Each structure stands twice: as structure tokens, then as C-alpha cells.
Amino acid sequence: MAGRAPSPRRSTRPRAGARFAVVAARFNEAITKRLLDGALRAFAASGVAESAVDVQWVPGAFELPQAAAYLARTRRYAGVVCVGCVIRGQTPHFDFVAGQAAAGIQRVGLDTGVPTTFGVITALTEAQAWERAGGDVGNRGTEAADAALEMARFVETVGRRARPTANRRGGSTAGSLPDRRGRGALRSGPGGK
């Protein structure tokens, strides 16, 4: 059963000057516009100025990952939100488009380190899509923007902890990360002791 995404656990106000991008698919545009409106409302509610959110339109959900990758690689954005709508038809086209859009959007975040979120409705019917674009089931655009805000805060917080600092011997602890047990012990980057 579908439901609403969990509410953010704490304040998702981004750092001062943070910019965000929203990439919106024109296919099923009436529905996607509702997702975009939800994303923009979520940013505004978190104190992100309208001028700090860039909106880019692409033909469909299949093109979302390419546009998101381009935007993320500019390093101008604290997060990229992808919104679109894919409705199952009578052919397997839905499976290819929805699956590749999801995998591609995930890949952008993994490859660039820039939070890139999935606000793409994948519905069996148009009625289901409308329910997820501001109806009884919520607004996937709002949820994707909230996730981008929360993940941008996560990246900023973890990045701040990992910045180089001088150790007692005068050297740098660049790349040191808290140990996996959470006890505050430091270990060097990947493969370190």
C-alpha cells in the first residue's frame, strides 16, 4: 500500500547561500506541474529563496538522469530534485522508462556526491498518479524536495566533520572518519586502520 513519505526528523534548513535545482519532465506535464509546485513549496517552507532554485524542463522521465548529472557536475547545487510521471500503458515501455529513470537518478547521486532525489511517480493508472501529485497519498515532488534538503544537510554535516584538522604531532588528519562503532575513534580513509 502506498503512503506518504516520512516527515523530516529535524530542521532541514540548508546552509546560507545553498542552491537547488529541480528537473521536471514534460511528459504527463499537468501532473508533473503539480509535483514541481510541491517541490517549490517545500523549498520555500524551508527558507530557500525562490531565486535559489533553478527549474529545468526535459522531454520525459528517461531524460531526467542526464539533465540531473549535468547540473550536479557543475557543483553549483546542494541538491537536485527530479520530478516526472510514468503511467503504465499496454506495452512494456513503462518498465524500461521507469526502471532506467530510477537507476539513472540514483547513479547521479552516487557518482557525484550531490544529493539527487527521485520524485517520479510510477503509477498503474492516471488516477493513481493524481493521488500522488497532491491527492490523498501526498505529493511526490514535495517529498523529493524534503529528501534533497535533508540529504544536503547530511552531506554538509559529514563533510564538516571530515575536514582536515591538525593532530597533536602537527600533521593533518585529512580523510579521517569516525570509526564504524561510533565511539569517536578515528580511522584513516578507506582501508585505513
Side-chain angles (χ1 to χ4, degrees), residues 111-144:
D111 289 350
T112 67
V114 175
T116 307
T117 59
F118 187 76
V120 179
I121 294 171
T122 56
L124 300 177
T125 66
E126 186 175 342
Q128 287 178 341
W130 283 109
E131 286 300 308
R132 287 150 182 80
D136 290 339
V137 185
N139 185 307
R140 298 298 183 248
T142 300
E143 294 163 5

Side-chain angles (χ1 to χ4, degrees), residues 47-120:
V48 178
E50 184 178 336
S51 61
V53 180
D54 294 335
V55 177
Q56 302 292 328
W57 287 88
V58 296
F62 195 80
E63 291 77 25
L64 290 170
Q66 182 178 10
Y70 185 83
L71 293 167
R73 287 183 189 125
T74 68
R75 295 288 177 208
R76 285 186 287 191
Y77 302 102
V80 178
V81 175
C82 298
V83 295
C85 178
V86 185
I87 300 171
R88 182 177 291 285
Q90 297 177 348
T91 69
H93 184 257
F94 168 91
D95 299 312
F96 295 107
V97 172
Q100 291 304 308
I105 290 167
Q106 178 190 39
R107 188 84 248 155
V108 172
L110 293 172
D111 289 350
T112 67
V114 175
T116 307
T117 59
F118 187 76
V120 179

